[in-house]
Amino acid sequence: LSIPTWIIHTSSLVEWLVAMGLAWRYADVIGRKEWKGVTWGMLPLHTSGIVACCYHLFYNAPELSWCVALQAGCTCLGNT
């Protein structure tokens, strides 16, 4: 991947972590634990992004082809 593409992917992963942290803190501030579910709901999609970056980091190595299925599964789970 090109450097600009890596920057976008990395910043997206960081952005998700920040959003997850903010949702968790918001739940604490308003005193409603159920808002922490937003963070848990975001976790499969964040995992999908990490898996995709790991796969590309190793130049789409055939030994890591299972990452594609894992990413698809995490994305599907996160979108439901």
Side-chain angles (χ1 to χ4, degrees):
L1 299 177
S2 68
I3 290 180
T5 303
W6 274 114
I7 291 170
I8 289 169
H9 285 327
T10 304
S11 64
S12 292
L13 291 174
V14 171
E15 178 184 14
W16 273 92
L17 283 177
V18 170
M20 290 166 71
L22 288 172
W24 194 272
R25 283 191 215 146
Y26 181 71
D28 288 336
V29 169
I30 66 170
R32 295 184 61 188
K33 293 187 305 186
E34 58 269 15
W35 271 92
K36 291 184 179 183
V38 172
T39 300
W40 291 111
M42 294 173 75
L43 191 60
L45 293 169
H46 181 66
T47 303
S48 174
I50 291 172
V51 171
C53 285
C54 288
Y55 184 62
H56 291 311
L57 183 66
F58 293 103
Y59 303 105
N60 304 339
E63 299 84 21
L64 297 178
S65 62
W66 56 269
C67 286
V68 176
L70 178 60
Q71 181 196 9
C74 288
T75 300
C76 183
L77 178 64
N79 286 338
T80 51

